[in-house]
Amino acid sequence: MNDQLDDMYREIILDHYRSPRGKQPVDKADISSEGMNPACGDEIDMQVEIDEESVKKISVNCRGCAISVASGSMLAEMVKGKSLEEVARLAEVVRKMLKGEGDEIPEEFGDLDALKGVRNFPVRVKCALLSWITLLDGLTRYKKGEGLRSSAISTEDK
Amino acid sequence: MNDQLDDMYREIILDHYRSPRGKQPVDKADISSEGMNPACGDEIDMQVEIDEESVKKISVNCRGCAISVASGSMLAEMVKGKSLEEVARLAEVVRKMLKGEGDEIPEEFGDLDALKGVRNFPVRVKCALLSWITLLDGLTRYKKGEGLRSSAISTEDK
Amino acid sequence: MKSGDGEKLKSTDYRPAPFSVEQVKADFPILDQKVNRHQLVYLDNAASTQKPRSVINALLEYYRHSNSNIHRGMHTLAERATQAYEGTRSHVAQFVGGVLDEEVIFTSGTTEAINLVAATWGEVNISEGDEIVITEMEHHANLVPWVMLAKSKSAVLKRIPITICGHLDLSNIDEIITKKTKLVAVSHMSNVLGTINPVKEIVARAHAVGAVALVDGAQAAPHMAINVRDLGADFYTFSAHKMLGPTGVGVLIGRKEMLEEMPPYKMGGEMIREVRFDRVTWNDLPHKFEAGTPNIADVVAFDAALTYLDEIGMDKVRLHEMQLTDYAMKKLTELPSIEIQGPQEPDQRGGAISFTDRDVHPHDIATFLDSKGIAVRAGHHCAQPLMRVLGKVATARASLYIYNDESDVDRLVEALVEMRRYFGV
Amino acid sequence: MKSGDGEKLKSTDYRPAPFSVEQVKADFPILDQKVNRHQLVYLDNAASTQKPRSVINALLEYYRHSNSNIHRGMHTLAERATQAYEGTRSHVAQFVGGVLDEEVIFTSGTTEAINLVAATWGEVNISEGDEIVITEMEHHANLVPWVMLAKSKSAVLKRIPITICGHLDLSNIDEIITKKTKLVAVSHMSNVLGTINPVKEIVARAHAVGAVALVDGAQAAPHMAINVRDLGADFYTFSAHKMLGPTGVGVLIGRKEMLEEMPPYKMGGEMIREVRFDRVTWNDLPHKFEAGTPNIADVVAFDAALTYLDEIGMDKVRLHEMQLTDYAMKKLTELPSIEIQGPQEPDQRGGAISFTDRDVHPHDIATFLDSKGIAVRAGHHCAQPLMRVLGKVATARASLYIYNDESDVDRLVEALVEMRRYFGV
Ligand SMILES: Cc1ncc(COP(=O)(O)O)c(C=O)c1O
Ligand SMILES: Cc1ncc(COP(=O)(O)O)c(C=O)c1O
């Protein structure tokens, strides 16, 4: 099990946890999304600044455990500069990977691969998911023209 | 157990069951009391005609099992002619005997002794009790000057 | 295991059981005992069934290896307990013919399941002048909540009567279920008469007038293949203890859209998302309806009960009971003093056989049978209004299940003959 | 076993346990296992406790020899089951210091017990402008029902705040509990802070203004001698699963006069006396509040749990936990990064020890400890408002019981040291 533990808390995750990326505020929030993980009390705040249908800047503020913070930090790093379409696809791939439904994370996704180990800890999957479903929720609302925060999305939502 | 069974369904009980005494209506009901045994659906109707603080006539109508019918029939036979005080004492003795609290039934009580066997069948004790608590309830109300039926008393009441 | 297949089978003679009843009997440790010096014959299955070794062992296993509170755990035992608990939920979802996991709400029994609907859906949706339709054969669990709701809302309680054969009389159904009807609550199988009701037809009529349909499956789910979607029921309820499972567990199946709209029932831990002193938001389904620590061990062990039934196959359960009911009714009918309630046709009824003797009161029947080691129930079977309709104070009831066989029925019939000798009638 | 005796004992050093913890441990089969290759150390007792062999065997015994529906039976098994079920009721009545049997209502848990009071007593007695007083440290089970009741009745929810030491701040109690107060609902022991509240004093204040007092004993009843009459509580609630008993059983103790006046909670079988289609009369106590088939087997097995606690003696349980809590708090305090919530004085608190690490999130603490075979809980512990007051998103919580000893605490402390090395903080 300590092997499994090490598999979850990879060096790279501990690194993101200790110094999370994406803490700087955006200039103008086109998407503002809030998420929570009621099972654990993790909370996340996310703002996305959009330019020509791409993520210009993203700010992620997560109060939570190593896994949720690291996952949010990786998210911030990964999505910056990507088109909204790419971002949605990426978030969907991560969501599926974590839920054990989908394909593996493609090579190019780099650090994200580190999240795989979480799958051995079902109760922590939600921690890893939190930032991604918060992002997906924001994107969905943005498409409908309601990019600004309504109510918080929860990891318990389907 | 068949010995126990025979102990409950004594010949005398079966006899009272087959031809219950006290079916004739009273001329004037000074006490009118209704009882029920919700656990089994037994129902009893009782009218007492009182003369000089004694039971002049009693009418007992019981829809129920061998035990409740026989118990009601014995009651009708036993209390007729007795003073209200005697009757109350008798009913109390029977109640206690059936609940296994009190003394044995004195010799003089005759047929009533046959009810003892019921104590081996806890669930049937209520059947045997029904007529007696209905009578007690009626007496109590009579003393307060409310001899006529209010609501039915239940074997589940304390 | 399609719903209703069993109903199409006709059984006229007793045929060999579709599975080895002897082997089944051997799986139930409690049956291997003497009661009052006679081998126990347990015929009180409509009240509660016995449990196979696998269910008892599942409890043992749970308490020996996995016991923990669920959902919020961050440790191995909590994870094991959560997976086992949620595993039963998925199993139930399949068992009722396929619904979503989150449409399966665990309660403490059928009674609580129906109360939940009355207190949440009913509170919100029933108003003055609305009509609630039940039947004359309902168990108090599917009656008293509606009597009280109707009273508190000044709504009208209507009932579908029964025929003298113990079927629902649907001849005037269009006058009973009308545009004013908001809810139709009907039992799938009567615990007194054994009648299997045409719930699909009744649900269709309810939906045609825009009413919601609740089906009380407490007596059906244990005894025949169920397909809640096919029946069309908006709510379907049953109790684990009547189908080989532990006491203290019930199920409410509800349509997701409806469950989502309903306010919660009990308030407490796990059913909330966020709590402040002045404001609360609810958790998602099914947790919204499962406040507090649930009956984890018993839900976990219920899975083994469902597996046991799966392995026999619900159609075979139904076929066996139909055959045995047929056998029992024939044998009982040979006793001239015995009167049986409910339908005579074995394909239209289950194995709950209520009867009376012309001369011996039901309580005396039950006590006498017990002295012969035979467990039956006597009384009003929590259906007082039905008893009044039947004109009976009480009945005796023998109710069959998978571990009963011809020899149990023979013991019952012999004892009834002896009983009359005993009482000298 | 007088109430509160334990509270008078002061414990400063770790002394030998007042009973053989080793022998107790041996009675709990689940503890004899490895989790993640380490011998299991179970420190999640505030969530749910483990079960001794005698409780597991009682379940076995029940299902193997006595299983049947109760009350209405006319056969031997039904009689056995009824007597066992009612036997537990009498045992509970004694266990809480002596109340009437019919003042003991079985529910599915503390959550249901409190909901019952809110839905019956609360519905009838709370009106617009009335005040309900709770505390800042309530579990959601003793909070959400009152938040919602206050909302639906336009009543006012007031709260007794906590001091920075984790005690209730009673300095303004007379301004909080006033003539407008109809109900004071307070936990006997906090599941987060461990605080033992001066409920006797609070109940007295409630009664002085004519208010009713409900005490949530979910965390107290398992850990100290209780005397409900002495406390003066009008309602007292707890859960079997937190005190060695099976899941799915809770208890509401209520004053007879109040229970008799209250409308029933759930509707169905057994709680009625007479049912007609238009009119229902209720059964007597306690049946009025126990609709439908109760959780018979688990109530029966709960008796064995109470017997186990009786045999140790609740004062010894308390003494042991006080000593061990003292030991644990001292050891944990030696770790500079660890912050403990709640009172420091072992005689003013129970063994639920919530803590945080300056650098490691509670979830990570729990996951790491689990990898070492140590079960603790992390999260908001169903007390979100309290967490907000404490300024914490979550805490880790180690909670002790009779089978825990110094070596368990040592394992915890060692693992916490190793954890910091692991996370490199
Ligand atoms: C103080 C307190 N009250 C109430 C509860 C709820 O108990 P249950 O979940 O058994 O209903 C708990 C248990 O978590 C508790 O600790
Ligand atoms: C038809 C029917 N409905 C409801 C119930 C109530 O079930 P429970 O007592 O398990 O809540 C029963 C069981 O007696 C029943 O037979």
Side-chain angles (χ1 to χ4, degrees):
Chain A
M1 176 80 178
N2 260 4
D3 331 342
Q4 281 192 21
L5 195 73
D6 291 341
D7 205 37
M8 175 159 83
Y9 296 121
R10 302 240 191 116
E11 208 27 70
I12 206 158
I13 292 203
L14 294 177
D15 178 60
H16 275 278
Y17 169 50
R18 286 188 213 117
S19 36
R21 319 338 180 214
K23 285 283 203 184
Q24 305 84 345
V26 299
D27 298 326
K28 172 180 156 289
D30 296 298
I31 296 177
S32 168
S33 203
E34 224 183 290
M36 59 185 288
N37 177 6
C40 320
D42 299 325
E43 290 174 355
I44 197 166
D45 250 315
M46 196 180 277
Q47 273 85 36
V48 188
E49 187 176 338
I50 292 174
D51 192 24
E52 300 191 355
E53 296 303 287
S54 287
V55 174
K56 188 176 172 198
K57 250 189 182 169
I58 181 163
S59 138
V60 174
N61 251 294
C62 182
R63 298 208 301 164
C65 63
I67 303 300
S68 58
V69 170
S71 178
S73 165
M74 288 182 198
L75 178 147
E77 206 171 60
M78 293 292 302
V79 305
K80 206 174 146 185
K82 287 211 164 60
S83 76
L84 294 192
E85 207 171 307
E86 268 178 295
V87 168
R89 193 173 55 85
L90 176 59
E92 194 51 37
V93 169
V94 176
R95 198 187 61 78
K96 280 200 174 146
M97 182 274 289
L98 286 171
K99 293 214 151 183
E101 292 169 9
D103 323 318
E104 295 304 293
I105 295 203
E107 280 289 331
E108 24 144 13
F109 286 16
D111 285 7
L112 276 180
D113 192 59
L115 283 178
K116 270 189 209 163
V118 172
R119 288 181 305 186
N120 296 319
F121 295 82
V123 87
R124 306 301 296 279
V125 164
K126 287 175 185 166
C127 308
L129 266 176
L130 178 59
S131 50
W132 298 93
I133 63 154
T134 308
L135 178 62
L136 273 171
D137 180 55
L139 286 175
T140 310
R141 280 189 284 103
Y142 179 73
K143 271 190 221 139
K144 293 197 228 156
E146 324 158 345
L148 294 185
R149 154 175 27 205
S150 54
S151 64
I153 177 100
S154 157
T155 50
E156 303 294 321
D157 293 324
K158 295 291 137 169
Chain B
M1 176 76 177
N2 261 3
D3 331 342
Q4 282 193 19
L5 195 72
D6 292 339
D7 206 37
M8 176 159 80
Y9 295 121
R10 303 239 190 119
E11 208 27 70
I12 207 160
I13 292 204
L14 294 177
D15 178 60
H16 274 278
Y17 169 49
R18 287 189 212 117
S19 35
R21 320 333 182 217
K23 286 283 206 184
Q24 302 84 344
V26 299
D27 298 324
K28 174 179 153 288
D30 296 299
I31 295 178
S32 169
S33 203
E34 225 181 294
M36 58 184 290
N37 176 6
C40 322
D42 299 326
E43 289 174 357
I44 196 165
D45 251 316
M46 195 181 277
Q47 273 88 35
V48 187
E49 188 178 336
I50 293 173
D51 192 27
E52 299 191 356
E53 296 303 286
S54 287
V55 174
K56 186 174 172 199
K57 248 188 182 172
I58 180 161
S59 140
V60 174
N61 253 294
C62 182
R63 299 207 303 164
C65 63
I67 303 301
S68 57
V69 170
S71 178
S73 165
M74 289 181 198
L75 177 146
E77 209 172 58
M78 293 291 303
V79 304
K80 208 175 142 182
K82 289 210 163 62
S83 76
L84 294 191
E85 209 170 306
E86 268 176 294
V87 169
R89 193 174 53 87
L90 176 59
E92 194 49 39
V93 170
V94 177
R95 199 187 61 77
K96 279 200 176 145
M97 183 275 290
L98 287 172
K99 293 215 151 180
E101 290 170 9
D103 324 316
E104 294 306 291
I105 295 205
E107 281 289 329
E108 23 141 15
F109 286 15
D111 285 8
L112 275 179
D113 192 61
L115 283 178
K116 270 189 205 162
V118 171
R119 287 180 304 187
N120 295 319
F121 295 82
V123 87
R124 303 302 296 280
V125 164
K126 288 176 184 165
C127 308
L129 266 176
L130 179 59
S131 50
W132 299 93
I133 62 156
T134 308
L135 178 62
L136 275 171
D137 181 55
L139 287 175
T140 311
R141 280 189 284 103
Y142 179 75
K143 272 189 225 143
K144 291 196 229 154
E146 324 159 344
L148 295 184
R149 157 178 23 210
S150 54
S151 63
I153 178 97
S154 159
T155 50
E156 303 294 320
D157 293 324
K158 293 293 135 169
Chain C
M1 257 203 280
K2 272 172 285 124
S3 151
D5 273 13
E7 291 170 43
K8 276 167 217 130
L9 298 158
K10 277 262 177 192
S11 154
T12 44
D13 275 318
Y14 186 72
R15 292 167 298 182
F19 53 87
S20 162
V21 177
E22 205 180 331
Q23 265 178 38
V24 167
K25 237 179 229 251
D27 287 336
F28 290 77
I30 199 172
L31 298 178
D32 186 20
Q33 72 171 299
K34 289 209 188 315
V35 162
N36 296 323
R37 283 188 265 126
H38 298 270
Q39 184 63 36
L40 170 63
V41 172
Y42 186 77
L43 296 175
D44 192 17
N45 292 292
S48 200
T49 67
Q50 300 305 339
K51 322 304 171 199
R53 201 169 279 110
S54 61
V55 168
I56 303 175
N57 285 345
L59 278 174
L60 265 182
E61 268 297 299
Y62 173 79
Y63 281 127
R64 282 194 184 152
H65 294 113
S66 315
N67 177 62
S68 165
N69 215 322
I70 56 173
H71 294 315
R72 293 175 187 287
M74 296 261 169
H75 55 77
T76 302
L77 297 187
E79 193 48 46
R80 270 186 216 156
T82 305
Q83 290 199 346
Y85 181 85
E86 293 302 326
T88 303
R89 197 191 302 280
S90 305
H91 200 162
V92 170
Q94 291 158 35
F95 190 85
V96 297
V99 297
L100 300 174
D101 284 8
E102 65 260 41
E103 293 180 315
V104 176
I105 312 291
F106 288 117
T107 67
S108 63
T110 300
T111 302
E112 179 168 284
I114 298 174
N115 275 270
L116 188 163
V117 176
T120 59
W121 183 89
E123 261 310 300
V124 175
N125 291 285
I126 300 292
S127 329
E128 193 174 336
D130 287 346
E131 294 178 357
I132 299 172
V133 173
I134 55 165
T135 83
E136 274 182 354
M137 62 169 83
E138 295 312 313
H139 186 280
H140 292 163
N142 197 28
L143 176 62
V144 188
W146 309 123
V147 172
M148 297 311 292
L149 184 68
K151 192 164 251 167
S152 87
K153 297 290 183 181
S154 303
V156 178
L157 192 71
K158 287 165 89 178
R159 51 188 188 268
I160 303 174
I162 57 170
T163 66
I164 44 165
C165 307
H167 288 288
L168 288 180
D169 178 357
L170 299 180
S171 56
N172 291 326
I173 187 80
D174 291 357
E175 283 151 48
I176 299 170
I177 302 178
T178 67
K179 276 184 304 184
K180 286 188 168 172
T181 307
K182 283 285 156 58
L183 173 77
V184 178
V186 52
S187 61
H188 200 166
M189 190 191 286
S190 161
N191 67 316
V192 176
L193 306 170
T195 321
I196 298 172
N197 290 320
V199 286
K200 193 168 172 175
E201 195 180 327
I202 298 170
V203 170
R205 172 66 195 163
H207 286 174
V209 299
V212 158
L214 177 145
V215 177
D216 170 3
Q219 293 296 338
H223 301 288
M224 53 197 267
I226 296 297
N227 189 317
V228 172
R229 286 277 172 274
D230 182 58
L231 293 175
D234 301 295
F235 298 109
Y236 196 91
T237 61
F238 50 95
S239 297
H241 72 93
K242 290 186 200 284
M243 49 198 298
L244 309 183
T247 57
V249 176
V251 170
L252 169 67
I253 309 286
R255 271 189 209 289
K256 189 177 177 190
E257 318 85 72
M258 297 185 63
L259 293 174
E260 275 172 348
E261 297 238 316
M262 280 148 61
Y265 179 48
K266 288 187 281 194
M267 315 288 164
E270 197 56 41
M271 53 73 71
I272 53 84
R273 179 171 300 158
E274 207 185 355
V275 179
R276 294 171 186 273
F277 286 112
D278 57 349
R279 171 159 58 88
V280 182
T281 53
W282 313 126
N283 201 341
D284 303 294
L285 295 177
H287 312 293
K288 179 168 112 181
F289 291 106
E290 293 182 6
T293 306
N295 189 351
I296 308 168
D298 292 326
V299 166
V300 169
F302 183 34
D303 194 70
L306 296 175
T307 299
Y308 196 93
L309 291 172
D310 286 344
E311 282 173 1
I312 295 183
M314 288 309 290
D315 281 334
K316 287 189 180 162
V317 168
R318 172 77 188 117
L319 180 58
H320 167 61
E321 284 182 34
M322 202 157 61
Q323 294 180 176
L324 194 58
T325 302
D326 192 29
Y327 180 79
M329 306 253 300
K330 287 217 174 89
K331 283 281 186 174
L332 287 170
T333 308
E334 286 168 16
L335 306 180
S337 64
I338 296 290
E339 180 193 348
I340 298 176
Q341 300 296 329
Q344 300 298 311
E345 314 81 350
D347 59 333
Q348 292 173 27
R349 61 169 297 145
I353 306 176
S354 283
F355 62 94
T356 47
D357 182 280
R358 197 178 49 220
D359 308 297
V360 185
H361 187 280
H363 302 177
D364 297 314
I365 297 178
T367 302
F368 183 85
L369 292 177
D370 185 50
S371 78
K372 301 292 170 196
I374 303 166
V376 303
R377 193 147 289 239
H380 54 57
H381 313 292
C382 294
Q384 288 182 359
L386 172 60
M387 300 313 272
R388 254 178 236 109
V389 170
L390 297 176
K392 303 276 175 204
V393 177
T395 68
R397 181 185 67 189
S399 50
L400 310 168
Y401 209 24
I402 47 174
Y403 33 68
N404 294 123
D405 58 17
E406 284 163 285
S407 76
D408 295 341
V409 172
D410 293 343
R411 287 266 308 276
L412 170 69
V413 173
E414 280 155 29
L416 288 173
V417 172
E418 200 182 329
M419 172 188 81
R420 292 185 55 86
R421 274 202 305 274
Y422 182 86
F423 283 106
V425 290
Chain D
M1 255 205 281
K2 271 173 285 124
S3 151
D5 271 12
E7 289 169 45
K8 276 167 220 136
L9 298 158
K10 277 259 179 197
S11 157
T12 44
D13 274 316
Y14 187 74
R15 292 167 297 183
F19 52 87
S20 162
V21 177
E22 205 179 332
Q23 264 177 37
V24 167
K25 238 182 230 248
D27 288 335
F28 290 77
I30 199 170
L31 298 178
D32 184 20
Q33 72 171 298
K34 288 208 188 317
V35 162
N36 296 324
R37 283 188 265 129
H38 299 270
Q39 185 63 37
L40 170 63
V41 172
Y42 185 78
L43 296 174
D44 193 16
N45 293 294
S48 200
T49 66
Q50 299 305 340
K51 321 305 169 200
R53 203 169 279 110
S54 61
V55 168
I56 303 175
N57 285 346
L59 278 174
L60 264 182
E61 268 296 299
Y62 174 79
Y63 282 127
R64 282 193 185 154
H65 295 114
S66 316
N67 177 60
S68 165
N69 216 320
I70 55 173
H71 295 313
R72 293 175 186 286
M74 296 263 168
H75 54 78
T76 303
L77 296 189
E79 194 48 46
R80 270 186 216 155
T82 305
Q83 290 199 345
Y85 181 85
E86 294 301 328
T88 303
R89 197 190 304 280
S90 306
H91 200 163
V92 170
Q94 290 159 35
F95 189 85
V96 299
V99 297
L100 300 175
D101 284 9
E102 66 259 41
E103 295 181 313
V104 176
I105 312 290
F106 288 116
T107 67
S108 64
T110 301
T111 301
E112 179 168 285
I114 298 173
N115 275 269
L116 189 163
V117 176
T120 60
W121 183 90
E123 260 311 299
V124 174
N125 291 285
I126 300 292
S127 331
E128 192 173 338
D130 286 346
E131 294 179 355
I132 299 171
V133 173
I134 55 165
T135 82
E136 273 182 352
M137 61 169 84
E138 296 311 314
H139 185 280
H140 292 165
N142 197 26
L143 176 62
V144 187
W146 310 124
V147 172
M148 297 311 292
L149 184 68
K151 193 165 251 169
S152 86
K153 298 288 182 182
S154 303
V156 179
L157 192 71
K158 288 166 87 176
R159 51 189 190 268
I160 303 173
I162 58 171
T163 67
I164 43 164
C165 309
H167 289 288
L168 288 180
D169 178 356
L170 299 180
S171 55
N172 290 326
I173 187 80
D174 291 356
E175 282 152 49
I176 299 171
I177 302 178
T178 68
K179 276 185 302 183
K180 285 186 169 178
T181 307
K182 285 284 157 60
L183 174 77
V184 178
V186 52
S187 61
H188 200 167
M189 189 191 289
S190 160
N191 66 317
V192 176
L193 305 170
T195 321
I196 298 172
N197 291 320
V199 286
K200 194 169 171 175
E201 193 180 328
I202 297 170
V203 169
R205 172 67 194 161
H207 287 172
V209 299
V212 158
L214 177 145
V215 177
D216 171 3
Q219 293 296 338
H223 301 288
M224 53 197 266
I226 295 298
N227 189 319
V228 171
R229 287 275 172 277
D230 183 58
L231 292 175
D234 301 294
F235 299 108
Y236 195 91
T237 62
F238 52 95
S239 298
H241 72 94
K242 292 187 198 283
M243 49 199 297
L244 309 183
T247 57
V249 176
V251 170
L252 169 67
I253 309 284
R255 270 188 211 288
K256 189 176 177 193
E257 320 83 74
M258 298 187 62
L259 293 175
E260 274 172 348
E261 297 240 314
M262 281 150 59
Y265 178 49
K266 288 188 279 193
M267 314 290 163
E270 197 58 38
M271 52 72 71
I272 53 84
R273 179 171 301 156
E274 206 186 355
V275 180
R276 294 173 186 270
F277 287 113
D278 57 350
R279 169 159 60 85
V280 183
T281 52
W282 313 127
N283 202 343
D284 302 293
L285 293 178
H287 311 294
K288 180 169 111 181
F289 292 107
E290 294 183 6
T293 306
N295 189 352
I296 308 168
D298 292 326
V299 166
V300 169
F302 183 34
D303 194 69
L306 295 176
T307 300
Y308 196 93
L309 291 173
D310 285 344
E311 280 171 2
I312 295 182
M314 289 309 293
D315 280 334
K316 288 190 179 163
V317 168
R318 172 77 188 117
L319 180 57
H320 168 61
E321 285 182 32
M322 203 158 59
Q323 291 179 178
L324 193 58
T325 302
D326 192 30
Y327 180 79
M329 307 251 303
K330 287 217 175 90
K331 283 282 184 174
L332 286 169
T333 309
E334 285 167 15
L335 306 181
S337 64
I338 297 289
E339 179 192 347
I340 298 176
Q341 300 296 329
Q344 301 297 313
E345 314 81 350
D347 61 332
Q348 291 173 28
R349 59 168 298 146
I353 306 175
S354 283
F355 62 93
T356 46
D357 183 281
R358 194 177 51 220
D359 307 294
V360 184
H361 187 279
H363 301 176
D364 296 315
I365 296 178
T367 301
F368 183 86
L369 291 177
D370 184 51
S371 78
K372 301 292 172 199
I374 303 164
V376 303
R377 193 147 290 240
H380 54 59
H381 312 292
C382 293
Q384 287 182 1
L386 173 60
M387 299 313 275
R388 253 177 238 110
V389 170
L390 297 175
K392 301 277 174 202
V393 177
T395 67
R397 181 186 69 190
S399 49
L400 309 168
Y401 208 24
I402 48 174
Y403 34 69
N404 294 122
D405 59 16
E406 284 165 284
S407 77
D408 294 341
V409 173
D410 292 342
R411 285 268 305 277
L412 170 69
V413 173
E414 280 155 28
L416 287 172
V417 172
E418 199 181 331
M419 172 188 81
R420 293 183 56 83
R421 274 203 303 277
Y422 181 86
F423 284 106
V425 288

